[in-house]
Amino acid sequence: MDEKIRNAGEMVLDSDRVVAFTGAGVSTESGIPDFRSPGGIWDKYDSSEFTYQNFRKDPGAYWKRRLEMREESDFDMADAEPNPAHIAIAELEEMGKLSSVITQNIDTLHEKAGNSEVIKLHGTSAEVKCLECGRKYKSEFAWEKAKGGELPPKCECGGTLKSDTVLFGESLPQDALQRAREEAHNCDLMLVVGSSLVVQPAASIPRMSQRGGAKLCIVNLEPTPMDGGADVAIHGKAGEVLPEIMDFVRQGQKG
Ligand code: NAD
């Protein structure tokens, strides 16, 4: 067995309070492209279109553009299923090892895999929110209205609906950020999976856990700026690496 997998497995066995910090890379094997890899979303679309400022300037035009993108794509994020990496993280919770998942993803795949404590730093694509009264609806409610020509789709109060995700230039939900900081501070192992660790302030969370005394394990396809300071950094596919770590952990729990 690979030495690094063994090291990571031993860290999990020694730990009582693991926090998983996940980015888009944990979901690519579920068919959802990440932002920055070749073939990722930013190879296809211009990221500067999708700012909060653009949304506020003309919510109707923004929804129209998103609708076009949705119709161009033959894949709907809502149909994606958890892959072996999500399932391994859910198994850590089942074993009583995992305290929470902090995720940058908006795809709800951790919840689908069975995790109950998921801190969503960038919101969720499953819901939309009224900018006037704050009421939330399932996203389908807004998409149906948009498809029928209601641009932007409106709440029953008449307010504009916006996807409950954090756009570029929009601040992160403060309650989620606060909980993430507490979890990072109190964990004994921070397991980063599928994040380039370049988007702030989310990328500072793993560093915070190290300051609190936690070990840091990174699983990512490509090197990250934090690999040098990590206790172990494994470069590979999350859907292959995490099940291998879990095999080791299961053996260790039996023995
Ligand atoms: P990113 O696109 O910056 O980086 C993803 C990282 O994952 C890359 O370093 C890549 O090498 C790695 N990766 C890709 N496939 C992998 C695999 N199979 N196994 C392991 N690693 C893999 O993503 P990020 O750091 O999470 O960037 C943040 C932004 O991306 C967030 O704002 C998030 O909201 C958004 N995003 C979310 C989704 C989603 O919800 N699934 C999809 C795309 C983007």
Side-chain angles (χ1 to χ4, degrees), residues 7-250:
N7 286 347
E10 277 166 359
M11 281 180 211
V12 172
L13 284 169
D14 288 344
S15 162
D16 297 319
R17 221 181 145 86
V18 184
V19 167
F21 179 90
T22 66
V26 77
S27 296
T28 53
E29 289 163 83
S30 293
I32 305 174
D34 63 11
F35 278 171
R36 292 176 184 79
S37 293
I41 291 168
W42 299 146
D43 269 1
K44 224 170 152 193
Y45 299 103
D46 178 1
S47 61
S48 65
E49 273 191 76
F50 304 99
T51 61
Y52 186 58
Q53 290 66 27
N54 272 356
F55 182 88
R56 293 307 296 228
K57 216 190 303 164
D58 190 345
Y62 190 98
W63 270 101
K64 187 164 177 277
R65 183 75 183 108
R66 289 287 290 106
L67 193 61
E68 284 163 8
M69 282 170 70
R70 198 175 150 92
E71 281 165 359
E72 273 167 24
S73 164
D74 47 12
F75 178 76
D76 185 348
M77 195 188 273
D79 297 332
E81 291 295 333
N83 67 55
H86 297 102
I87 290 164
I89 293 169
E91 188 180 348
L92 278 178
E93 180 177 318
E94 235 173 81
M95 283 178 175
K97 290 257 175 211
L98 191 89
S99 165
S100 62
V101 182
I102 303 170
T103 190
Q104 294 175 274
N105 294 345
I106 55 170
D107 56 31
T108 71
L109 289 181
H110 288 299
E111 290 92 331
K112 275 196 189 171
N115 280 105
S116 59
E117 275 301 313
V118 184
I119 301 171
K120 295 185 276 285
L121 293 177
H122 293 165
T124 171
S125 64
E127 291 179 337
V128 293
K129 188 175 172 179
C130 173
L131 295 181
E132 294 301 322
C133 71
R135 182 168 171 185
K136 290 189 180 184
Y137 299 86
K138 294 245 177 286
S139 290
E140 253 343 279
F141 175 79
W143 284 122
E144 284 307 315
K145 280 174 171 261
K147 272 191 255 167
E150 189 177 313
L151 293 166
K154 299 275 179 166
C155 174
E156 276 171 18
C157 81
T160 296
L161 294 175
K162 176 188 163 294
S163 167
D164 198 15
T165 52
V166 176
L167 302 181
F168 290 107
E170 190 175 5
S171 46
L172 268 63
Q174 289 306 303
D175 51 341
L177 194 55
Q178 182 54 32
R179 277 179 62 216
R181 287 184 173 136
E182 284 164 14
E183 284 293 302
H185 190 74
N186 293 328
C187 71
D188 54 17
L189 174 62
M190 173 62 69
L191 176 63
V192 175
V193 187
S195 175
S196 56
L197 293 178
V198 295
V199 181
Q200 290 296 351
S204 61
I205 305 263
R207 212 177 285 284
M208 213 171 280
S209 68
Q210 282 188 303
R211 270 188 243 118
K215 295 240 159 102
L216 175 62
C217 170
I218 298 176
V219 177
N220 202 56
L221 206 51
E222 293 160 354
T224 81
M226 288 185 68
D227 288 358
D231 295 280
V232 61
I234 304 174
H235 300 143
K237 287 188 173 181
E240 293 170 6
V241 173
L242 260 59
E244 283 186 53
I245 296 174
M246 291 311 292
D247 282 345
F248 183 88
V249 170
R250 269 184 240 110

